[in-house]
């Protein structure tokens, strides 16, 4: 959350192919991206309008190295609002402070007790109050500038807050903030201490995913020529997923590099949002389709499976919209924390929803395995589905919980390890899934027996065929 620092990093009822709903979802998302295309992923001229909150987060969890700096500029005059007949506002009770990022609980406890955070010298370092501003304006009298440098031995992860200790008081001001660390050869490095390896990390990830994508394309080409009929539509969709993952990490590398050098992603953040959103939609769609057996076991989805996709895809669109709002607006935005919680909730719902088709397929195969003449084949499929279910659960648990815990507990200059762990888990998930469902004739997942389909599925085929003739 510095000047130029990214604040994250955090468009068919009748289903024939999954592409139609995905295209509609992407259309909706593109409209949202068009609305924020002029925004910049930094705190710059951040407006606070008639806000009476006792605590407003300005910049969260920034890792400062020794001699790292905070530069704040506030346009004057600052407008104060209070109730009628109220006493004169004590400007020493309104101001800015920094605190260790892990002191959030202590701050909330102080507010709950009715204390003023500007007096809590155990957990806060007061930068300046509104009284200081009035005494140190520039020559024109329209701006107050403040600079603070992290002293030797005080490096760490800090958050910047505004606090208001005067009841029934609101404030309006325009704020510009720069948080940066010194470069070895001089100059400003706008990346947090824990983000410095990320440009290189994501560039390496790009080349790795590109190699995986090229290997997958070669595999499909060879299988199509040597084993006709083994390459299914889902294999092509899996290749498209890897392609957009490549573009996503490439944009992340370029975005972090430009933020480091210039303090601004200069449009790379918009490209990142687009590819990140498409990749997210494709990932959940591919997992759902593999779990249902679409393209492998059957060329259609039944009504129950369609409903899962009709829930997951729109939820992913809303989750991606939440990501855009989080990244393009600073935490000072009223409701920013609610959007953050909404994103996590939608993401968890999507992760849980994609497990249902796999569970249904396991249940169906378990029942089919008890039928004479099909035990060996269905047991092989059942084992494969169980392995896929365990792998999906492990991937969700690791990327949503373990990665979060790693980022929360790592040292301020090692938070990049959470990004490394997440990319490593994602790469492993892609590779193992591709290996399990690779296009070979003897893969137990690829055997299609029409008598293994549920009655409702057969009826769905007949119904679609009748409608096709009628059209």
């Amino acid at each position: 959350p510095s000047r130029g620092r990214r604040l994250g990093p955090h468009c068919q009822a009748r289903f024939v192919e999954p592409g139609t709903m995905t295209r509609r979802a992407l259309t909706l998302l593109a409209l949202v991206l068009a609305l924020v295309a002029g925004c910049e992923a930094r705190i710059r001229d951040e407006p606070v309008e008639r806000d009476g909150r006792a605590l407003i987060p300005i910049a969260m969890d920034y890792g400062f190295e020794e001699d790292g700096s905070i530069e704040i500029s506030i346009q004057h005059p600052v407008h104060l609002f209070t109730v009628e007949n109220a006493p004169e506002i004590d400007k020493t009770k309104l101001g800015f402070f920094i605190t260790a990022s892990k002191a959030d609980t202590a701050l909330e406890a102080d507010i709950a007790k009715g204390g003023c955070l500007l007096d809590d010298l155990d957990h806060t370092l007061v930068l300046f109050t509104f009284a200081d501003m009035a005494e140190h304006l520039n020559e024109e009298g329209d701006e107050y500038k403040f600079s603070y440098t992290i002293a030797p031995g005080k490096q760490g992860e800090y958050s910047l807050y505004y606090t208001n200790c005067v009841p029934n008081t609101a404030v309006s001001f325009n704020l510009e903030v720069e948080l940066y660390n010194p470069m070895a050869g001089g100059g400003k490095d706008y990346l947090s201490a824990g983000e410095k390896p990320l440009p290189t990390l994501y560039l390496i990830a790009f080349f790795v995913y590109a190699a995986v994508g090229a290997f997958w394309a070669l595999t499909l080409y060879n299988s199509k020529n040597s084993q006709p009929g083994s390459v299914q539509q889902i294999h092509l969709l899996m290749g498209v997923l890897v392609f957009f993952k490549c573009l996503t990490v490439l944009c992340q590398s370029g975005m972090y590099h430009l933020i480091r050098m210039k303090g601004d992603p200069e449009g790379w953040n918009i490209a990142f949002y687009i590819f990140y959103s498409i990749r997210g939609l494709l990932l959940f769609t591919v997992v759902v389709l593999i779990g249902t057996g679409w393209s492998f076991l059957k060329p259609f989805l039944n009504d129950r499976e369609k409903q899962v996709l009709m829930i997951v895809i729109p939820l992913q669109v809303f989750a991606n919209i939440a990501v855009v709002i989080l990244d393009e607006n600073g935490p000072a935005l009223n409701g920013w924390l609610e959007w953050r919680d909404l994103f996590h909730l939608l993401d968890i719902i999507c992760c849980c929803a994609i497990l249902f088709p796999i569970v249904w397929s396991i249940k169906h195969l378990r029942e089919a395995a008890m039928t004479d003449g099909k035990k060996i084949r269905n047991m092989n499929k059942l084992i494969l589905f169980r392995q896929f279910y365990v792998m999906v659960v492990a991937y969700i648990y690791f990327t949503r919980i373990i990665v979060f815990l790693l980022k929360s507990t790592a040292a301020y200059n090692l938070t990049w390890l959470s990004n490394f762990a997440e990319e490593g888990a994602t790469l492993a998930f892609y590779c193992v899934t591709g290996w399990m469902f690779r296009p070979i004739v003897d893969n137990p997942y690829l055997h299609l027996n029409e008598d293994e389909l549920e009655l409702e599925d057969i009826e769905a085929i007949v119904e679609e065929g009748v409608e096709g003739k009628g059209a």
Side-chain angles (χ1 to χ4, degrees), residues 357-368:
I358 307 175
V359 174
W360 296 334
S361 295
I362 291 175
K363 179 181 178 182
H364 171 57
L365 289 172
R366 185 184 295 113
E367 295 172 352

Side-chain angles (χ1 to χ4, degrees), residues 10 272-273 276 318-328 343:
H10 118 212
F272 166 72
Y273 296 143
Y276 172 83
F318 290 126
N320 289 327
I321 291 174
V323 170
V324 174
I325 292 177
L326 285 174
D327 282 0
E328 292 300 330
F343 163 68

